[in-house]
Amino acid sequence: MREEIEKALDVLKRGGLILYPTDTVWGIGCDAANAAAVQKIYTLKKRDDSKALICLVNNYGMLEKHVDNVPKMAYTILDIAVNPTTIIYDAPAGIAENLVANDNTLAIRIVDHEFCKKLIRYLGRPLVSTSANFAGKPTPKSFKEIDEAILKGVDYVVNLQKETIAKNPSTIIKLGSDGGVKIIRE
């Protein structure tokens, strides 16, 4: 695993894209603070850049560093969540502007996956995570279902867990500044 982290980290630091396993599905990722790398993901996925991407962090400390005011409800939701859960937060900070949605929000998940946690820790910043498919196409359930053009479009494919069948994408919840909770994806 150490060698894979080093290779992926090198690519991320140079502004490249990686394809990597997560606690949900295979993801296309980049340094969340690198706007040019984020744009590469939108281009590769043929995705409208008005559709926000998810970021992964490795712990509450990193979450709090990139969200001005984490609502108390977020901690409650994350503590009781059975499945990987992404929360949309207001007023993100310290990430590329083209990751921030038009309403000044960002979707963030505290990842529970050993490779991802270590990679994020060494990178020192959030990692973009979006499913390894073209916009509008089904999310691959395994590595072998990933389109060849996606495989060729990234700078590095992490050589771990290629035989693992993916879980479902994360639940996405939006927390309103008024305290409201809205489930976007179950």
Side-chain angles (χ1 to χ4, degrees):
M1 181 181 300
R2 182 183 178 117
E3 183 178 331
E4 289 304 308
I5 289 171
E6 289 173 1
K7 289 177 181 178
L9 194 57
D10 180 59
V11 170
L12 294 170
K13 287 181 175 180
R14 289 185 286 112
L17 304 184
I18 64 170
L19 182 67
Y20 64 106
T22 75
D23 53 346
T24 57
V25 299
W26 274 82
I28 301 170
C30 70
D31 177 348
N34 186 324
V38 171
Q39 187 56 52
K40 288 179 189 177
I41 289 180
Y42 283 119
T43 301
L44 175 60
K45 285 185 60 102
K46 301 176 183 171
R47 183 174 173 149
D48 184 341
D49 63 8
S50 68
K51 295 189 180 229
L53 301 171
I54 292 173
C55 286
L56 302 180
V57 297
N58 62 348
N59 57 38
Y60 284 129
M62 186 175 279
L63 172 66
E64 292 161 355
K65 181 179 176 184
H66 293 284
V67 176
D68 286 339
N69 185 21
V70 178
K72 288 182 181 177
M73 178 60 76
Y75 297 106
T76 302
I77 291 169
L78 293 172
D79 285 345
I80 65 171
V82 176
N83 297 316
T85 301
T86 301
I87 296 180
I88 301 172
Y89 297 94
D90 290 330
I95 49 96
E97 287 185 21
N98 56 346
L99 273 178
V100 180
N102 292 336
D103 63 353
N104 195 33
T105 60
L106 179 65
I108 301 175
R109 181 166 85 247
I110 299 175
V111 72
D112 186 21
H113 184 272
E114 185 180 6
F115 172 80
C116 293
K117 288 174 94 165
K118 287 181 178 179
L119 181 61
I120 293 165
R121 184 176 73 220
Y122 292 125
L123 181 62
R125 290 184 293 281
L127 184 64
V128 171
S129 184
T130 182
S131 56
N133 59 306
F134 292 111
K137 299 292 182 187
T139 300
K141 292 290 183 188
S142 67
F143 180 82
K144 65 184 177 185
E145 291 181 14
I146 298 171
D147 191 290
E148 187 69 26
I150 295 286
L151 294 171
K152 289 180 178 179
V154 299
D155 300 295
Y156 185 69
V157 177
V158 173
N159 191 23
L160 293 171
Q161 299 178 319
K162 289 185 176 175
E163 301 304 316
T164 304
I165 300 299
K167 298 177 184 174
N168 291 323
S170 65
T171 299
I172 300 178
I173 297 172
K174 182 168 184 164
L175 295 180
S177 55
D178 62 355
V181 176
K182 181 178 181 183
I183 297 175
I184 306 294
R185 178 175 74 195
E186 283 192 73

